[in-house]
Amino acid sequence: MLRNVVRGILNLVLAAAATWLANYLTDRIFGPEEEELHD
């Protein structure tokens, strides 16, 4: 039971970290999103 709870929490944390990291790296490479809206 505890194993499943810990696994679920880790999955949420890792998913959130991966999403944040992807957004952070994209902003580092291409700059802020505001500039992209002028396409």
Side-chain angles (χ1 to χ4, degrees), residues 9-37:
I9 292 170
L10 285 177
N11 282 336
L12 285 176
V13 170
L14 290 175
T19 300
W20 177 87
L21 184 59
N23 288 334
Y24 176 79
L25 289 177
T26 302
D27 282 352
R28 290 282 85 194
I29 293 169
F30 295 107
E33 260 185 80
E34 288 79 22
E35 296 176 2
E36 304 263 4
L37 295 178

